[in-house]
Amino acid sequence: MSALLEVRGLRKRFGGLVATDDVSFEVAQGEIVGLIGPNGAGKTTIFNQLSGLIRPDAGRIVFDGTSLVGMSAHRICRSGVVKTFQNVASFGDMTVLENATVGGLARVGLAEARERAHAAIDRVGLAGREEVMAAELSLPEKARLELARALATRPRMMLLDEAMATLTPQEQREIVALVRELRGEGITFLVIEHHMKTIMSMCERILVLNFGQLIASGTPAEVSRDPKVVTAYLGSSVQEAE
Ligand SMILES: Nc1ncnc2c1ncn2[C@@H]1O[C@H](COP(=O)(O)OP(=O)(O)OP(=O)(O)O)[C@@H](O)[C@H]1O
Ligand SMILES: [Mg+2]
């Protein structure tokens, strides 16, 4: 298996805090991999390094043979890696179409970006909502808009940071179904999610982070019975931790 994404020895300190502590993992083309861990474990910090928002202190990030370390966020996006934001980040005073177009503009000019935005809006099930202000959308529609904005960049790999945090279980299942379809169309996913049932049902493989360190990785069944993982979740059953 040659990895699409290879992360080796990734480190990031914030003052005295080691937020990413020698983290190594790989993601193969077409996988849906989960990244879980308690609050403050360092999940978003890993995404921020992968997407170029912050620069690692040490380590390698190689995407499809190209090193991403030191590349601008813009170039990383153009190379095919896109991240959604943990807190729904749509511009509320812009329309659905304008929001999705912002995604497209990361890679192409306005006319083409609008075309890509329309395609992405259709793909996530928001057709007919193009001219609605993002602030007027329901929570599941906002989550879909985040996906549309990312999709409009024509990514090869999507990093989803709690894209389903505000959704009901049924709404989450619908997003999971959409993610599976997109994976079938060639997009690889790395997903941060606190809803355990959702992430366990969504991913073939789960990485578990605690205090900046990767403490386990394996299938959902393997990690949920791993004593280190259970301890990290303060003794609660991982299956039940929501
Ligand atoms: N820019 C920053 N400056 C200083 N400390 C930071 C910065 N970003 C994150 N941290 C700290 O790094 C640690 C990891 O934060 P991070 O946001 O990556 O956690 P997380 O696993 O995404 O948590 P959550 O589940 O709550 O979203 C936390 O202790 C956080 O306070
Ligand atoms: Mg986070």
Side-chain angles (χ1 to χ4, degrees):
M1 176 182 88
S2 84
L4 179 63
L5 176 72
E6 185 189 353
V7 174
R8 281 284 166 269
L10 200 65
R11 277 182 183 280
K12 182 70 195 177
R13 292 183 86 97
F14 294 118
L17 176 84
V18 184
T20 309
D21 191 355
D22 198 20
V23 168
S24 300
F25 63 89
E26 295 181 356
V27 179
Q29 163 69 39
E31 269 192 303
I32 303 175
V33 175
L35 180 58
I36 68 170
N39 289 116
K43 305 177 297 293
T44 297
T45 301
I46 288 184
F47 273 20
N48 286 343
Q49 291 169 90
L50 297 179
S51 59
L53 293 179
I54 60 175
R55 194 187 169 122
D57 297 330
R60 290 198 298 150
I61 302 170
V62 178
F63 178 72
D64 196 23
T66 301
S67 171
L68 301 188
V69 174
M71 244 191 219
S72 68
H74 186 75
R75 277 191 59 207
I76 289 174
C77 178
R78 271 191 290 161
S79 75
V81 179
V82 69
K83 163 178 156 16
T84 64
F85 286 86
Q86 176 162 359
N87 297 309
V88 172
S90 312
F91 303 109
D93 58 354
M94 284 167 46
T95 66
V96 166
L97 179 60
E98 287 165 345
N99 268 282
T101 302
V102 170
L105 284 173
R107 295 189 70 168
V108 290
L110 184 57
E112 175 71 15
R114 270 181 179 269
E115 265 178 47
R116 292 185 180 194
H118 276 294
I121 288 166
D122 286 352
R123 191 66 198 81
V124 302
L126 288 178
R129 305 289 274 161
E130 287 83 354
E131 299 307 325
V132 176
M133 298 305 248
E136 306 295 314
L137 296 177
S138 67
L139 290 172
E141 286 177 326
K142 282 182 178 157
R144 285 172 189 273
L145 176 56
E146 278 298 293
L147 292 179
R149 198 158 48 147
L151 269 182
T153 70
R154 298 264 174 98
R156 296 181 57 201
M157 178 159 198
M158 286 173 72
L159 311 176
L160 306 186
D161 194 349
E162 297 190 43
M164 295 175 279
T166 58
L167 306 187
T168 66
Q170 175 56 30
E171 290 161 356
Q172 290 175 38
R173 282 192 287 277
E174 289 170 15
I175 298 288
V176 170
L178 176 59
V179 165
R180 287 185 180 284
E181 286 173 21
L182 294 170
R183 182 264 291 277
E185 294 164 22
I187 301 177
T188 301
F189 285 86
L190 186 56
V191 181
I192 297 173
E193 194 49 68
H194 277 295
H195 298 284
M196 283 301 155
K197 280 194 182 121
T198 299
I199 195 129
M200 295 287 177
S201 69
M202 181 179 199
C203 300
E204 287 94 25
R205 205 151 62 77
I206 309 265
L207 309 169
V208 188
L209 207 61
N210 195 30
F211 295 114
Q213 294 181 336
L214 207 57
I215 59 166
S217 80
T219 64
E222 284 165 355
V223 300
S224 55
R225 60 172 180 257
D226 185 317
K228 290 193 294 296
V229 177
V230 176
T231 304
Y233 280 90
L234 298 171
S236 62
S237 157
V238 176
Q239 292 290 354
E240 282 161 19
E242 291 281 338

